[in-house]
């Protein structure tokens, strides 16, 4: 927080390319409603692209940051926002945020609903809906217990889905079964 000058207030993190397809303008449009509901909120944008976040004292446009710093930002954020409008197959930002126990507010597009269980590991909203996005982000910023519960469930979900040991064991079992049929 000190290194990036983020202050002490809670913040919502947007990480990745700041672009139309990633839904950055939808998040931009949601900022006023979130500000009105959450005094002292900050918005952090880590990444760059063809769009620039709106200029405001509570908006911190960090540009590209080293991966270690990005993970520190994930851990410090209350919520990570993934407002994609194009059907992303599987968002790396989504998985990284969930892995470190942060709840996400994401759009129900592409592979996102396969990873994010609405109301369990994060909150899903319709694509292109800044009001729904603002309500979901605000809910997590104002309810630390909800954010913590969803964040813990998110970390468990990623561990369950991407457990390397279980995946390797399943692959080896498949090879053994195929070899036995030869």
């Amino acid at each position: 927080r000190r290194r990036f000058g983020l202050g002490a207030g809670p913040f919502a993190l947007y990480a990745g390319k700041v672009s139309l397809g990633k839904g950055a303008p939808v998040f931009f449009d949601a900022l006023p409603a979130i500000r009105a509901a959450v005094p002292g909120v900050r918005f952090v944008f880590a990444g760059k692209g063809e769009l620039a976040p709106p200029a405001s004292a509570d908006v911190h446009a960090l540009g590209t940051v080293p991966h270690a710093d990005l993970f520190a930002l994930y851990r410090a954020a209350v919520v990570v926002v993934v407002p994609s409008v194009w059907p992303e197959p599987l968002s790396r930002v989504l998985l990284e945020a969930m892995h470190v126990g942060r709840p996400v507010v994401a759009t129900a597009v592409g592979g996102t609903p396969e990873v994010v269980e609405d109301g369990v590991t994060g909150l899903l909203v319709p694509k292109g809906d800044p009001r729904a996005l603002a309500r979901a982000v605000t809910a997590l910023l104002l309810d630390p217990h909800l954010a913590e519960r969803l964040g813990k469930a998110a970390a468990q979900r990623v561990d369950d889905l991407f457990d390397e040991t279980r995946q390797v064991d399943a692959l080896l079992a498949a090879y053994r079964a195929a070899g036995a049929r030869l």
Side-chain angles (χ1 to χ4, degrees):
R1 285 177 174 272
R2 279 191 303 274
R3 182 175 23 185
F4 292 116
L6 302 182
F11 72 88
L13 174 65
Y14 174 104
K17 187 175 183 182
V18 185
S19 69
L20 292 171
K22 295 288 189 174
V26 179
F27 190 34
F28 299 163
D29 290 345
L31 299 185
I34 299 168
R35 273 186 197 106
V38 185
V41 67
R42 300 272 189 261
F43 305 98
V44 177
F45 291 83
K48 56 185 185 177
E50 65 265 15
L51 303 174
S56 177
D58 60 2
V59 173
H60 303 270
L62 305 179
T64 303
V65 298
H67 217 132
D69 289 343
L70 180 58
F71 272 81
L73 289 167
Y74 286 140
R75 287 182 181 92
V78 173
V79 58
V80 177
V81 183
V82 184
S84 299
V85 296
W86 78 284
E88 282 195 79
L90 188 59
S91 166
R92 178 184 55 81
V93 168
L94 186 75
L95 295 176
E96 289 174 348
M98 291 174 69
H99 176 72
V100 299
R102 283 301 157 262
V104 295
V105 171
T107 48
V109 298
T112 300
E114 295 178 41
V115 178
V116 177
E117 296 174 272
D118 188 36
V120 178
T121 63
L123 300 175
L124 292 174
V125 299
K127 74 176 183 178
D129 188 341
R131 286 181 295 210
L133 187 67
R135 282 191 303 271
V137 170
T138 298
L140 292 174
L141 288 167
L142 291 176
D143 189 342
H145 297 294
L146 175 62
E148 183 179 350
R149 180 173 55 80
L150 296 181
K152 284 181 181 177
Q156 185 62 54
R157 174 89 170 141
V158 169
D159 286 347
D160 290 346
L161 287 174
F162 300 101
D163 180 322
E164 290 176 16
T165 302
R166 192 177 75 231
Q167 289 176 351
V168 169
D169 288 346
L171 182 61
L172 291 174
Y175 285 151
R176 282 192 292 278
R181 289 191 296 261
L182 294 176

